[in-house]
Every structure is written in structure tokens, then in C-alpha cells.
């Protein structure tokens, strides 16, 4: 079994091959989730730190884990004896590692990251702060997959439909409301990558992440259909037919990028810049992306009487 130091060295070897000075490994998945499935726990695998919040920064001569005061004692214990140094954040979730990168990376060097794990907003913040030192960002590097040989597979549990007794509105009603909001924005399609929003819109639940009843997937709404990109085998035959009746079409999970590339040239695609990944955004053809806020969240926040009653019952 590889030690943490051996894993960090394997990562550095990959960094040298790519010619990058530093590599970022966040506590995130392609859906910008706060809690992630085992498949996406690369920061934990590389550092040994099991807390839910933190980011690992690896250079050719330093490895630092940034996390906040909730985890100081835990991190000190879990990082002990490894080459990873605890960098104590003053403010929880603050991007304090960016200032460290500005101070320590050579001018004109390259920073690498996996663009699936960073939002468009995060990348822009990085680029703005690194600009004065002419530090480039290569967001197309997935260096972890090449060294994590026994990486857990994506979750395979089936999804299930949330019974009407627990939902505030039907699936068809929610889709119609969101399409109305899209029309007001001049959008012909809406890309949704946040798992809790997808669960709410489609009235589905799953067990892909511990203590989070979500299904790893993407959803793209256009004027005629809701395209759900979900791993195979997770939707049963009967429920599949129910979804089709509501205009929900199933696609393979990894087919979302090709769908976006092939979208009609006159179709504007709405994206939430705080959650859409860099990689997905870059897949959208030039001039077709409309950048704005999450259209589903305000609707989800306003609970119906039925939902309020269920909340009281649960509490």
C-alpha cells in the first residue's frame, strides 16, 4: 500500500512531465458538492486528511493543506509523519491558498488543475490574482486518475421517485416554472450540475453520497425536453417510462459534453457561474453561454404548505 509521501511523489512526477510548478486538489466533485462520493475524494487519498473541507496545494518542493479551525487538531494528527504541511486558515472556506501561490510561484510559471473540480467563478478569481506574475493556468489536467490505481468506481445504487405526498409540486410543474424563468432570460437551454437542484427538480432521491440523498448526474433543460445525464443502470424500467411521460430523456453520464458541443448554434445556454465547472463551460460553443444565477434555487427555497408540514413532522 502506497504511503502518502509516495503518492505525493507520483503526483510530482506527473507534474514534471506536464511542466507545471503547482497542482491544486480541492475537496470537490464535478458538481461543486460540499460532500462527495468516494470516487472524488482525491484530496483525502493524496494527503490522508479526511475532513470535509480543505484544499491541497502541491509544488515540486512543498505540499500544503489549507483548512479551517474546525479541523486543526484532526489535520495535525492525520498529517503527522507525512510531507504534507498544515496551513491554518484564518477564515473558513476563504481562498487563502491563492495568496500563498502568488507569493511562492515563479513568475511566468504554470499552475495545473482539473477543470471538472473548479467552478468558472473560482478559475476567474485565480486568474485575476495570478495575472500580475504572468502565471498561466492549465485547467485540463487530471493527474490523479493516472496514479490512483484502486480508485473507487462511481456509485451504482438505483434512484427512486419521491412520492407525491412529500413534494411541493409535480415534476412537470417544476420543469414548466423553470422554462418560464429561462424564457425571461432569453435562454433556450439551462445547464444544471448541482445535485441537490437536480433531485428537487426531478423529484428523485438516491444514496450516491453519504448522508446526502442525491444522484450524481447532470440535467439540461431545453424547450422540448429535460435531458438527464445519469450513469447506466441507476434508473429502473418502470420509472424510466414515468420520466419519459414527463419529457425527461435519459443519456449516459459522460455524454453531457458532447451534447453541449452539438447544441444548435442559435441556442443560448444558461449557466450559473458559481457552480458550472470550468470544463463544462469550455465545452459550450463560443457565444452560446448566458452567464447568471441559479434559476432553481429561489423556487426551491419557497416551501409549499405540504413541504412545511413535512419539515415539521421530520423535526
Amino acid at each position: 500500500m502506497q504511503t502518502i509521501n509516495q503518492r505525493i511523489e507520483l503526483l510530482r512526477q506527473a507534474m514534471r512531465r506536464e511542466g507545471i510548478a503547482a497542482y491544486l486538489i480541492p475537496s470537490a466533485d464535478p458538481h461543486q458538492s460540499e460532500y462527495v462520493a468516494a470516487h472524488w475524494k482525491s484530496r483525502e487519498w493524496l494527503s490522508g486528511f479526511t475532513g470535509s473541507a480543505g484544499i491541497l496545494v502541491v509544488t515540486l518542493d512543498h505540499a500544503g493543506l489549507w483548512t479551517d479551525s474546525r479541523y486543526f487538531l484532526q489535520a495535525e494528527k492525520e498529517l503527522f509523519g507525512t510531507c504534507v504541511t498544515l496551513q491554518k486558515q484564518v477564515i473558513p472556506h476563504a481562498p487563502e491558498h491563492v495568496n500563498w501561490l502568488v507569493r511562492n510561484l515563479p513568475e511566468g510559471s504554470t499552475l495545473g488543475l482539473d477543470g471538472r473540480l473548479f467552478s468558472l467563478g473560482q478559475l476567474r478569481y485565480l486568474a485575476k490574482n495570478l495575472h500580475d506574475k504572468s502565471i498561466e493556468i492549465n485547467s485540463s489536467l487530471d493527474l490523479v486518475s493516472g496514479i490512483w490505481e484502486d480508485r473507487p468506481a462511481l456509485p451504482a445504487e438505483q434512484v427512486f421517485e419521491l412520492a407525491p405526498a412529500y413534494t411541493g409540486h409535480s415534476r412537470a410543474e417544476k420543469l414548466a416554472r423553470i422554462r418560464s424563468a429561462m424564457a425571461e432570460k432569453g435562454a433556450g437551454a439551462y445547464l444544471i450540475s448541482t445535485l441537490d437542484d437536480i433531485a428537487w427538480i426531478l423529484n428523485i432521491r438516491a444514496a450516491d453520497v453519504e448522508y446526502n440523498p442525491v444522484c450524481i448526474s447532470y440535467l439540461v433543460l431545453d424547450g422540448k425536453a429535460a435531458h438527464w445525464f445519469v450513469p447506466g443502470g441507476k434508473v429502473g424500467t418502470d420509472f424510466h417510462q414515468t420520466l419519459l411521460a414527463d419529457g425527461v430523456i435519459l443519456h449516459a453520464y459522460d455524454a453531457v459534453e458532447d451534447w453541449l458541443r452539438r447544441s444548435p448554434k442559435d441556442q443560448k445556454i444558461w449557466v450559473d457561474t458559481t457552480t458550472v465547472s470550468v470544463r463544462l463551460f469550455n465545452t459550450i460553443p463560443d457565444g452560446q453561454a448566458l452567464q447568471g444565477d441559479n434559476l432553481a434555487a429561489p423556487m426551491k427555497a419557497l416551501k409549499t404548505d405540504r413541504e412545511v408540514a413535512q419539515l415539521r413532522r421530520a423535526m
Side-chain angles (χ1 to χ4, degrees):
M1 183 177 179
Q2 295 167 329
T3 66
I4 297 302
N5 292 0
Q6 289 172 330
R7 294 171 184 176
I8 295 292
E9 180 52 35
L10 286 173
L11 178 63
R12 285 183 172 137
Q13 291 174 16
M15 291 166 58
R16 292 186 187 100
R17 289 193 295 269
E18 296 293 341
I20 60 174
Y23 191 72
L24 301 184
I25 306 96
S27 306
D29 63 7
H31 308 275
Q32 296 302 305
S33 305
E34 182 176 2
Y35 302 99
V36 300
H39 179 82
W40 297 110
K41 292 184 178 181
S42 13
R43 186 225 63 218
E44 177 181 324
W45 182 79
L46 272 165
S47 69
F49 171 61
T50 61
S52 65
I55 186 166
L56 179 65
V57 179
V58 178
T59 69
L60 297 178
D61 59 7
H62 179 78
L65 175 83
W66 273 256
T67 192
D68 63 74
S69 58
R70 294 172 297 168
Y71 300 102
F72 288 170
L73 295 177
Q74 175 184 346
E76 287 173 350
K77 180 179 179 180
E78 293 180 336
L79 300 180
F80 181 77
T82 74
C83 63
V84 182
T85 302
L86 172 61
Q87 302 280 2
K88 296 182 178 181
Q89 284 181 305
V90 178
I91 302 172
H93 302 292
E96 296 174 13
H97 62 283
V98 177
N99 294 331
W100 187 92
L101 289 168
V102 172
R103 291 194 305 269
N104 289 276
L105 289 190
E107 187 167 352
S109 59
T110 301
L111 170 69
L113 54 88
D114 184 347
R116 295 173 299 174
L117 308 181
F118 289 81
S119 71
L120 181 62
Q122 289 172 323
L123 185 78
R124 287 175 173 171
Y125 181 85
L126 266 173
K128 179 181 178 181
N129 282 272
L130 300 176
H131 176 266
D132 288 346
K133 290 190 69 173
S134 301
I135 297 171
E136 296 186 3
I137 301 174
N138 185 339
S139 63
S140 63
L141 297 176
D142 172 15
L143 301 185
V144 175
S145 293
I147 62 175
W148 192 354
E149 295 181 353
D150 58 346
R151 187 173 192 171
L154 288 174
E157 292 82 358
Q158 282 204 340
V159 303
F160 63 93
E161 184 174 20
L162 195 63
Y166 302 108
T167 63
H169 298 280
S170 69
R171 185 181 305 107
E173 288 173 326
K174 291 176 180 178
L175 292 172
R177 292 174 65 194
I178 295 174
R179 287 194 176 99
S180 178
M182 289 164 49
E184 292 178 5
K185 304 290 187 180
Y190 177 28
L191 168 61
I192 306 158
S193 58
T194 39
L195 305 183
D196 55 328
D197 292 318
I198 294 171
W200 179 81
I201 293 168
L202 296 180
N203 285 343
I204 58 99
R205 296 293 186 268
D208 287 2
V209 181
E210 286 185 319
Y211 312 114
N212 292 259
V214 294
C215 170
I216 293 175
S217 58
Y218 297 99
L219 184 66
V220 182
L221 272 61
D222 61 24
K224 297 180 179 179
H227 302 273
W228 192 19
F229 300 85
V230 60
K234 293 181 69 66
V235 180
T237 302
D238 291 343
F239 186 34
H240 187 183
Q241 295 303 313
T242 301
L243 290 168
L244 283 174
D246 283 334
V248 180
I249 301 174
L250 267 59
H251 303 265
Y253 176 68
D254 57 4
V256 62
E257 293 183 16
D258 189 57
W259 191 97
L260 292 170
R261 289 191 194 97
R262 296 172 180 270
S263 59
K265 294 183 178 180
D266 61 346
Q267 185 180 66
K268 297 294 185 180
I269 302 175
W270 187 266
V271 296
D272 173 10
T273 56
T274 65
T275 58
V276 66
S277 73
V278 175
R279 178 161 165 170
L280 273 192
F281 181 81
N282 289 340
T283 302
I284 299 172
D286 290 343
Q288 287 186 232
L290 289 178
Q291 303 172 40
D293 299 324
N294 186 321
L295 300 181
M299 301 178 192
K300 184 174 63 173
L302 294 174
K303 306 303 181 187
T304 66
D305 290 343
R306 178 177 293 176
E307 288 173 311
V308 171
Q310 295 299 340
L311 285 170
R312 292 186 181 280
R313 181 183 177 191
M315 295 301 162

